Amino acid sequence: MGKPVREYLLTLCVTAAVTYLLTGPVRKFAIVAGAMPEIRARDVHREPTPRLGGIAMFFGLCAGLLVADHLTNLSEVFEKSNEPRALLSGAALIWLIGVLDDKFEIDALIKLGGQMIAAGVMVVQGLTILWIPVPGFGNVALTQGQGTLLTVALVVITINAVNFVDGLDGLAAGMVCIAAAAFFMYAYRIWYSYGIEAAAPASLFAAILMGMCLGFLPHNMHPARIFMGDSGSMLIGLVLAAGAISVTGQVDPDAMRLFSGSERNTVHQMVPVYIPLLMPLTIIAIPAADLILAIVRRTWRGQSPFAADRGHLHHRLLEIGHSHSRAVLIMYFFSALIAFGALAYSVNAASMWIVLSVVFLSAIGLVLLLLPRFTPRAPRWAERFVPPRYRRRGAPAAAESEPAVVEDETDETDERVPVAAGASGVNGATAVGPRSRAR
């Protein structure tokens, strides 16, 4: 099989285009169907905003798989592996459950059962973890039962972690897109550098996932015109988990021929083998941390772990004074830092510059967290391309035009007024629990 970079790019673009073009009609359909959350005093959005954005994302997934199946090189993925069909089957099931939940808010146990069944459907069709590399023991084969349990657990955890972070406009889609980009680079490197074609399905899944998120983001950025809902958040969580399972369970580490040289060199060379175990965790590190903290917080208060609240990380950013847009960008920053940091470490684990760079960028992120009132200003030449709140107020035009100054101040005030309430667009506190109507 060749190295179809252009075919991956075409698949990504088709997926993004289909998702983008269908989101508008889906929004109108959601309004007619009544799939819109009620507005309460603590909500950020001022107009009823429809859900069901996952419908457009699912058809984007179907379009991406269809196009890839008819391309010269990527078609071999469908001929040599059943994983794309397994993904489509599991995605269709989890998407249908999400659509029903967006409209009727089905029971938490039904959603949890649906997630497990969707994972089981993929396992039956071959998308499962067959072995795991364990430090000190090498390649450990799993029994059918062990592989099934591990696969189902990874799918359910990833789905709920992604759904947990779906609390601000554009947050979940952007973070998953960043994660998919890092995962694509990792899977493609295994395929290209080591010639392991078993990593091709994971590369395809990551490219399609990027297209789904990029096509939906223009409609979902603040202020969002449509929410992805559980039909979208559970869908992209499942696709993300499918890529991790494909690389972890299907790629044989022995094929990389890393066991040579001294013991120290072998340990460094084995990093790409162990990264599949860590990459899914680094990709969803922030959502997973939010998930664990929420479970501990609610259990400590004597509440159900699935009870909705306003203590998520993105809510905390709003409460300390960050605007909606800045809170989303901060979450993007740390997601990219963790995902691409793990990717860089897998390429050269012995480089101290990677560690120093991650530490330096982490320090910058902490400084941004401590400056919630700081508003960056664009250069003079770029002011026409940015929103008014990022333009310099000392400009002559702004000084002479009093309404412009008032409008600018109103924009920032509007973004921060709802902060006191602490609610900011929760599509769902969890994918298996009752969803808060706050947005």
Side-chain angles (χ1 to χ4, degrees), residues 243-258:
I245 292 169
S246 178
V247 171
T248 304
Q250 306 296 327
V251 175
D252 186 359
D254 293 335
M256 297 183 185
R257 301 175 182 176
L258 301 176

Side-chain angles (χ1 to χ4, degrees), residues 111 160 163-164 230 291 298 305-307 312 428-435:
K111 285 195 289 184
N160 285 279
N163 193 268
F164 253 67
D230 279 3
L291 173 66
R298 294 163 186 173
F306 303 132
H312 295 289
T430 95
V432 298
R435 180 175 52 251

Side-chain angles (χ1 to χ4, degrees), residues 2 77 98 132 202 225 251 262 286 332 342 355 365 370 381 394 396 401 417 421 430:
V77 175
I132 56 174
R225 302 180 67 248
V251 175
S262 65
I286 293 180
Y332 285 177
V355 178
L370 298 176
W381 59 268
S401 177
V417 166
T430 95

Side-chain angles (χ1 to χ4, degrees), residues 120-169:
V121 168
M122 294 194 299
V123 169
V124 170
Q125 299 187 60
L127 185 56
T128 182
I129 298 177
L130 302 178
W131 51 68
I132 56 174
V134 178
F137 295 93
N139 199 26
V140 178
L142 300 177
T143 64
Q144 183 177 0
Q146 292 171 340
T148 300
L149 290 177
L150 188 57
T151 301
V152 172
L154 181 59
V155 171
V156 172
I157 291 174
T158 306
I159 288 176
N160 285 279
V162 171
N163 193 268
F164 253 67
V165 82
D166 186 22
L168 298 178
D169 296 344

